Amino acid sequence: MTTGSNILLTHNLDNRHYLYSQLENGLKVILVEDQTSETCSVAATIGNGHFSDPADCLGLSHLLEHMLFQGNKKYKTVDAFDTFLSLHGGTVNAATGSEYSHYYFSVNNENLSTALDHFSQLLTQPLFEIESIKKEISAIDAEFSLKINDDLRRLYEVHKETSNPEHPFSQFSVGNASTLNTLSLKEVQQRLFALHQNQYVSHNMTLCIISPFDTQTCLELVKAHFGSFANRQAPHAAPLPALYLDEQLGIRIDIAPLKSARRLIVTFALPSMQHLYRTKPLCIISELLADEGPDGLLGHFKAKGFATNISVGGGIEGSNFRDFNVNLQLTEAGLANIDLMLETIFQYIEDIKQHNKIRYFDEKSTLLSQIWQFADAIKPTDEAISLSSGIFIYPPEHLIASEYILDKPNLAVVDEVLNFFTPENMRVKVVSPNPKTTFVSRWYQTPYNVSAIPSSLMQKLQNASCNPLLKLPEKNPFLSRNHSRIATDAQFIIPQQTFDTADFNVWFGQDNQFELPRGDCYVSFDCQAATLGVEAAATKKLWIALLNNHFQQRYYQANVAGLNYHLYSHQCGFSLHTSGFSANQLMFAHELTEQIHTFEDFNKHFEQVKHQQLQSLHNNLLNKPINRLFTRLSALMQQNTHTPLSMVNAIEKASLEQVYDVKSQMLNNRYIESLVFGNWHKTEAEQFSSSLYTQHQKFTGHGKLSRSVFDLSQQRSLLHSLPCNHPDAAVVIYYQSPNAKRRDTLLTILLEQLVSPVFFNFARQQAQLGYLVGSGYVPFNQHPGMAFYVQSPQYSAEYLIKTIRDFLQKFTVDLQQYQKNWNDIKQGVMKQLCQNDANLSMKSQRLWSALGNRDYAFSQNKDTANELTNIEFSDLMTFVKGLVIGKNTGELILYSDPNHKISASELSVAQVTDVSEFKKHTPLVE
């Protein structure tokens, strides 16, 4: 029989309707009726991951995930579901984890039933054809090769190799040609069928649908498409062994990264904590260890020059284990004082053990309740994945509340968990350049060493006592317990300019859509000094980093209390963005702007911050080739964007005196634009803007600076080579549209929507160019353009360029056949333009972007939608032909190839060798 329940714990402001149900065949479903939803989001979770992989076919579960998209008994065409969704406003994706696999999609509301039919067939009736298996093994091998230099993967493998070899976590999970070709293709096919038949069964699968339809209607759709699924359970799995053997605890693991990094990662091995979700002991412990105030761990280590950053609480998690990490980014001095840092960590843990922690329960419970009631909406597909996964973990009544409920505070439980935070239950990972190593990991070739922690150090750590220089955080001064909604004024539903001078503009608006006690405040500084070249840009970057370093310590508790800030550089200056709860936020924003102007204690952390910035830029130079090519494209196209290498050279030369000079130059001659949008009265916004203007009047002002891009349309196609330390070849071909008018912008978007699934299928499935392939709409400062990209472990860059160009030629010739999809694509773009904002943050961001684009009527989307109605397929055909023959269209080819250099004459293009010379002699376009 079908069981259903509406008795799910929700908060009192939640207007959605929920239904938890179990079908007759055992499939468990959570259905969410959200009347504000403009699309449907669906997720299925299967209780199977790479822990199920047989030892002689590692990566089988990952291969199975790939194979489900390679055709099924009803929809035999490869990627049929992806193609269907691309025509109906949706996307699909999947991920294989250790114990669960997730499949999720979004689709226009009117196509939910057909999409569910595709989805059910994809999950339950795969073909597993031999030729497709062969292709997907190649795709997985390309995916493996793509990440061969990824330090996260490399560290993860060392983690696996130093865990219990009897635990499935220790197995290689991604798979590659070596592991998946151990058996014959026929044997792999048989393994796929067996794994699917055993694990992809009704009792081992859950489903979540978030849609505007009532829950009963959705339930009938689920029954129609999943009800005939056989009533079966997965085979009973044997209990998992311990994740670590005794000899794998109380050890130090030294690891050599590829990128420049110095890290101390202290891991405590815990049992699963999922059952303690109503007490959340790890939340309490995390917040105490992560405190970034002057008296916490990070503040102490910063004062000694040992560390620059901390993150706490992360770590792998499964049904019988939970790692808890204290992760510190180190300086060279920190690397030389690991033992002392470990001693300090245990002194702080001892302080936590001895301290009465009931106040922290109260603060955490208050904050979780506020976040739950007043949270900005999250991406629906992410929520669907969370809910479908949650069915495996939480009782139905707490599915919605699991992340936020803290109704069983218990100091004894926290103390019990703290008993696992001991030296003998610890693993210490030290990531550093050139450590002494004795092992090399099998698949990612990571050098590492394992050694027991010396008994003398163990004894020190076991006997650690409270350190008087360390203190647990005081009562949070930023935590507000009163979050009330104001009455909105119809005059400000669309932001209005409340302060208007030639060099100072403030806009104010109120939200009447989401009804949350939240808001966003943006303040942008355009500074003439920021446009004076790479030296000014680099020193500005240092100054902003020094300010953020100061804010991190001073305002950490504000972030904890739901008041967030983001201080960042942009092409023409810098911006401050505050967000979160509206209570006290404008005072907070004002204090931050004051600090920007008055804080000058840069000497203390100058060398640390400079080293951090250099390390980050150097690491950018080690990114995978496709990422580096897009970074270089940005530097080539934008007047005030510079290459990472030129920034490295400038920062290396930067002095403390230059930082003071740049600060003065930036602030002394500027233009300010601000948006205050959210839950504030007009008088509050006026008070904030008046104080900001009073501050501004002390300095010289100028007008808003131009965000020009370089004009490629009046010159030959261009070729630019970028050397990368990577075995793969990579190519990005960028097409700049003729102009930034609304019509050309729309035609570029429409073309990208039409060509994207076609090119992906061609490059990945037919030509098998590589794993990382695609196309995308790539505007620079609102000037439209699009890019095609491929990174390949097997083909040369020259071959990739010719293949992409040949594809576009053929696509142009065959364009007429895609007319059948025209109305669907046009309707999809129209929906994107006209859809409501998903949450308050996105709405604020859209309004702020409109100001940046000088759209002072905030009507760009509406005007663009009106323009869209006048565009016909014949217009797109003319546009595409112009793009391919280069009529008023710029083509810029960027490539990286370790083995072959391309002659510009062979491609009939002009070579760009020097970025600065190119920018000096290329005209700009607004």
Side-chain angles (χ1 to χ4, degrees):
M1 69 177 222
T2 300
T3 59
S5 172
N6 284 308
I7 309 172
L8 301 172
L9 181 62
T10 62
H11 62 78
N12 58 1
L13 297 178
D14 191 346
N15 295 320
R16 304 193 298 181
H17 296 107
Y18 301 89
L19 177 66
Y20 172 83
S21 184
Q22 185 169 14
L23 304 191
E24 291 181 359
N25 61 10
L27 178 70
K28 294 174 182 175
V29 186
I30 175 75
L31 305 169
V32 183
E33 177 191 339
D34 184 348
Q35 291 293 330
T36 67
S37 178
E38 295 183 315
T39 58
C40 299
S41 298
V42 181
T45 297
I46 290 82
N48 175 79
H50 73 77
F51 281 9
S52 303
D53 290 354
D56 61 353
C57 198
L58 298 177
L60 186 67
S61 293
H62 186 196
L63 178 61
L64 173 55
E65 172 215 309
H66 277 237
M67 290 304 302
L68 294 192
F69 294 91
Q70 302 304 302
N72 53 70
K73 291 179 182 177
K74 184 171 182 179
Y75 301 102
K76 293 182 169 58
T77 307
V78 170
D79 284 329
F81 191 29
D82 190 25
T83 302
F84 169 81
L85 292 173
S86 70
L87 295 173
H88 297 99
T91 59
V92 63
N93 212 334
T96 302
S98 56
E99 295 176 273
Y100 300 103
S101 295
H102 309 285
Y103 300 82
Y104 47 96
F105 72 89
S106 60
V107 69
N108 289 344
N109 294 333
E110 55 268 28
N111 294 291
L112 176 60
S113 181
T114 307
L116 284 174
D117 189 50
H118 271 277
F119 198 45
S120 64
Q121 297 297 317
L122 177 148
L123 291 169
T124 64
Q125 301 293 324
L127 294 175
F128 295 142
E129 292 179 334
I130 291 289
E131 193 56 37
S132 291
I133 293 172
K134 185 178 178 181
K135 283 186 177 181
E136 289 312 301
I137 289 176
S138 294
I140 285 175
D141 192 59
E143 182 181 353
F144 165 74
S145 298
L146 180 71
K147 298 290 182 74
I148 197 77
N149 291 334
D150 184 317
D151 270 334
L152 287 177
R153 291 265 178 123
R154 298 172 81 252
L155 266 62
Y156 195 50
E157 186 182 24
V158 172
H159 192 165
K160 285 172 171 289
E161 288 194 3
T162 55
S163 64
N164 183 356
E166 297 301 314
H167 195 290
F169 171 75
S170 66
Q171 296 183 155
F172 177 49
S173 54
V174 176
N176 58 19
S178 176
T179 64
L180 292 169
N181 284 327
T182 302
L183 306 175
S184 70
L185 287 172
K186 186 67 179 174
E187 288 173 313
V188 173
Q189 183 189 50
Q190 290 169 352
R191 295 292 182 93
L192 286 168
F193 273 118
L195 181 62
H196 183 267
Q197 188 174 18
N198 284 335
Q199 300 295 337
Y200 282 62
V201 295
S202 58
H203 283 266
N204 201 36
M205 184 183 298
T206 61
L207 190 70
C208 173
I209 301 177
I210 302 174
S211 77
F213 306 117
D214 68 80
T215 54
Q216 284 300 326
T217 298
C218 270
L219 184 59
E220 293 306 313
L221 283 175
V222 173
K223 289 179 183 177
H225 296 295
F226 287 87
S228 59
F229 193 16
N231 186 339
R232 294 181 51 234
Q233 299 207 21
H236 180 70
L240 292 174
L243 180 61
Y244 303 115
L245 302 174
D246 288 346
E247 59 267 28
Q248 293 167 334
L249 296 169
I251 60 171
R252 170 169 167 161
I253 306 167
D254 286 274
I255 306 169
L258 287 177
K259 292 185 175 182
S260 176
R262 293 173 181 83
R263 287 199 170 273
L264 168 63
I265 305 169
V266 181
T267 300
F268 296 99
L270 314 179
S272 173
M273 295 280 152
Q274 292 171 344
H275 62 293
L276 297 175
Y277 68 95
R278 297 176 73 174
T279 304
K280 296 184 170 46
L282 293 185
C283 284
I284 303 299
I285 296 168
S286 293
E287 291 212 353
L288 295 176
L289 284 167
D291 177 44
E292 296 181 11
D295 299 321
L297 271 181
L298 183 61
H300 181 80
F301 290 143
K302 274 188 172 182
K304 288 187 170 293
F306 288 173
T308 59
N309 221 324
I310 190 170
S311 63
V312 175
I316 60 169
E317 183 174 12
S319 54
N320 80 327
F321 61 89
R322 169 70 156 91
D323 274 3
F324 183 100
N325 294 339
V326 178
N327 190 330
L328 286 148
Q329 189 171 323
L330 305 180
T331 62
E332 288 187 19
L335 190 59
N337 285 278
I338 295 294
D339 292 358
L340 182 57
M341 294 183 73
L342 289 173
E343 195 173 351
T344 304
I345 289 170
F346 276 95
Q347 288 170 345
Y348 197 70
I349 289 171
E350 185 62 27
D351 200 3
I352 294 173
K353 287 179 178 179
Q354 294 187 19
H355 202 281
N356 187 334
K357 294 167 281 291
I358 196 66
R359 174 169 64 79
Y360 301 109
F361 269 116
D362 176 59
E363 284 190 2
K364 190 65 182 176
S365 176
T366 299
L367 187 60
L368 285 172
S369 176
Q370 291 175 355
I371 291 171
W372 191 21
Q373 289 188 71
F374 307 126
D376 231 355
I378 64 171
K379 189 177 178 183
T381 47
D382 291 344
E383 184 178 15
I385 295 166
S386 176
L387 290 173
S388 66
S389 306
I391 294 174
F392 281 96
I393 301 168
Y394 305 111
E397 61 268 26
H398 291 150
L399 266 179
I400 313 301
S402 59
E403 288 183 42
Y404 308 100
I405 188 173
L406 206 173
D407 62 345
K408 291 190 173 182
N410 191 324
L411 293 175
V413 170
V414 177
D415 290 336
E416 185 180 330
V417 172
L418 282 168
N419 287 332
F420 290 101
F421 286 64
T422 62
E424 54 270 23
N425 193 46
M426 166 186 73
R427 289 158 57 91
V428 176
K429 288 203 267 303
V430 179
V431 181
S432 66
N434 307 313
K436 292 180 181 178
T437 60
T438 52
F439 305 102
V440 176
S441 70
R442 180 176 180 184
W443 298 110
Y444 293 91
Q445 300 295 296
T446 310
Y448 69 98
N449 187 63
V450 180
S451 58
I453 294 175
S455 56
S456 57
L457 177 59
M458 286 290 280
Q459 191 169 358
K460 269 188 182 180
L461 302 182
Q462 288 164 345
N463 297 329
S465 57
C466 297
N467 185 335
L469 298 177
L470 297 169
K471 294 178 185 174
L472 269 58
E474 300 292 334
K475 184 177 180 181
N476 193 324
F478 296 96
L479 184 63
S480 173
R481 296 176 186 267
N482 178 27
H483 295 291
S484 55
R485 280 279 297 142
I486 63 155
T488 55
D489 183 338
Q491 178 187 353
F492 295 107
I493 299 308
I494 297 175
Q496 302 296 310
Q497 196 166 17
T498 57
F499 218 115
D500 179 16
T501 73
D503 53 24
F504 186 90
N505 285 280
V506 178
W507 297 73
F508 168 64
Q510 295 173 328
D511 171 62
N512 68 339
Q513 182 182 351
F514 298 100
E515 300 183 342
L516 294 170
R518 304 176 70 90
D520 291 82
C521 176
Y522 294 89
V523 183
S524 179
F525 293 75
D526 275 14
C527 310
Q528 195 72 52
T531 66
L532 298 179
V534 65
E535 290 79 10
T539 315
K540 178 191 68 172
K541 185 178 176 69
L542 265 179
W543 173 49
I544 296 299
L546 285 160
L547 281 170
N548 274 316
N549 181 72
H550 168 61
F551 289 173
Q552 179 187 24
Q553 187 169 97
R554 185 174 179 125
Y555 299 115
Y556 173 75
Q557 291 283 49
N559 279 333
V560 171
L563 284 177
N564 309 305
Y565 69 88
H566 183 205
L567 178 67
Y568 57 97
S569 291
H570 58 68
Q571 295 171 60
C572 295
F574 64 95
S575 290
L576 172 69
H577 173 207
T578 61
S579 60
F581 294 126
S582 51
N584 303 323
Q585 187 187 141
L586 294 183
M587 281 197 311
F588 179 52
H590 174 69
E591 185 174 337
L592 290 169
T593 61
E594 284 286 340
Q595 287 289 310
I596 289 168
H597 287 80
T598 60
F599 180 72
E600 293 200 329
D601 187 12
F602 302 137
N603 182 55
K604 191 187 302 181
H605 295 118
F606 176 73
E607 290 300 331
Q608 276 184 24
V609 169
K610 181 176 177 177
H611 182 270
Q612 264 184 292
Q613 294 302 306
L614 285 170
Q615 181 175 296
S616 175
L617 287 165
H618 277 295
N619 286 341
N620 281 340
L621 300 174
L622 296 174
N623 283 342
K624 56 180 177 272
I626 217 74
N627 289 12
R628 291 202 58 204
L629 291 179
F630 273 108
T631 300
R632 178 58 59 91
L633 175 63
S634 179
L636 283 165
M637 293 304 302
Q638 298 177 113
Q639 187 178 13
N640 297 311
T641 300
H642 307 280
T643 66
L645 189 57
S646 67
M647 292 287 282
V648 164
N649 295 332
I651 287 180
E652 282 177 340
K653 297 172 186 173
S655 65
L656 183 60
E657 290 71 25
Q658 286 174 302
V659 171
Y660 286 112
D661 288 345
V662 158
K663 176 196 170 183
S664 176
Q665 291 164 15
M666 294 286 168
L667 294 178
N668 279 333
N669 195 11
R670 81 270 190 94
Y671 166 85
I672 286 183
E673 189 160 60
S674 177
L675 170 67
V676 178
F677 185 80
N679 185 53
W680 290 291
H681 292 288
K682 179 187 176 185
T683 52
E684 294 175 284
E686 287 175 338
Q687 186 177 353
F688 170 74
S689 56
S690 293
S691 63
L692 193 62
Y693 186 65
T694 299
Q695 186 184 68
H696 176 66
Q697 284 181 301
K698 300 170 186 175
F699 304 94
T700 304
H702 59 65
K704 188 169 185 172
L705 298 177
S706 169
R707 269 78 165 165
S708 302
V709 298
F710 290 101
D711 186 2
L712 307 181
S713 65
Q714 303 304 318
Q715 51 190 309
R716 294 171 61 192
S717 294
L718 302 170
L719 179 71
H720 181 65
S721 170
L722 179 66
C724 294
N725 184 23
H726 196 284
D728 289 1
V731 167
V732 171
I733 303 183
Y734 173 72
Y735 293 98
Q736 185 185 53
S737 301
N739 60 64
K741 291 179 180 176
R742 196 171 290 131
R743 188 174 182 81
D744 273 9
T745 298
L746 273 171
L747 286 166
T748 310
I749 292 170
L750 288 163
L751 172 58
E752 194 280 326
Q753 292 281 308
L754 180 65
V755 76
S756 181
V758 182
F759 178 70
F760 181 84
N761 184 57
F762 164 77
R764 174 77 78 80
Q765 300 290 345
Q766 297 173 34
Q768 295 189 53
L769 299 180
Y771 180 77
L772 189 55
V773 302
S775 60
Y777 175 63
V778 185
F780 286 107
N781 298 336
Q782 297 307 300
H783 194 111
M786 68 178 301
F788 296 84
Y789 60 90
V790 176
Q791 183 172 319
S792 176
Q794 61 198 93
Y795 293 111
S796 70
E798 187 170 4
Y799 177 81
L800 297 176
I801 293 166
K802 289 178 178 176
T803 304
I804 294 170
R805 282 176 146 190
D806 288 346
F807 164 82
L808 287 172
Q809 291 282 355
K810 187 176 185 306
F811 179 80
T812 305
V813 172
D814 298 340
L815 191 58
Q816 190 69 50
Q817 68 175 286
Y818 298 104
Q819 187 166 4
K820 65 181 184 295
N821 301 332
W822 175 244
N823 287 332
D824 287 330
I825 288 170
K826 198 171 171 181
Q827 185 181 1
V829 172
M830 181 70 80
K831 275 209 161 189
Q832 289 177 34
L833 292 169
C834 297
Q835 69 183 5
N836 291 323
D837 300 294
N839 54 45
L840 180 58
S841 294
M842 289 182 68
K843 185 174 185 177
S844 299
Q845 179 61 52
R846 175 178 60 80
L847 295 168
W848 179 238
S849 296
L851 289 177
N853 300 331
R854 303 177 193 260
D855 173 23
Y856 299 127
F858 303 96
S859 62
Q860 182 174 319
N861 283 6
K862 182 181 177 183
D863 296 341
T864 305
N866 291 336
E867 179 77 32
L868 179 59
T869 61
N870 300 320
I871 295 180
E872 302 298 335
F873 190 72
S874 57
D875 298 316
L876 184 68
M877 291 183 70
T878 303
F879 181 77
V880 174
K881 287 173 183 174
L883 180 146
V884 172
I885 66 172
K887 183 180 179 183
N888 297 322
T889 303
E891 182 187 45
L892 174 55
I893 303 168
L894 300 96
Y895 80 93
S896 171
D897 192 327
N899 302 313
H900 303 94
K901 191 164 181 65
I902 300 175
S903 166
S905 59
E906 285 184 24
L907 295 175
S908 301
V909 297
Q911 188 90 35
V912 175
T913 53
D914 186 287
V915 175
S916 59
E917 284 299 308
F918 164 78
K919 296 172 90 163
K920 194 182 296 181
H921 296 104
T922 304
L924 291 164
V925 59
E926 284 288 338

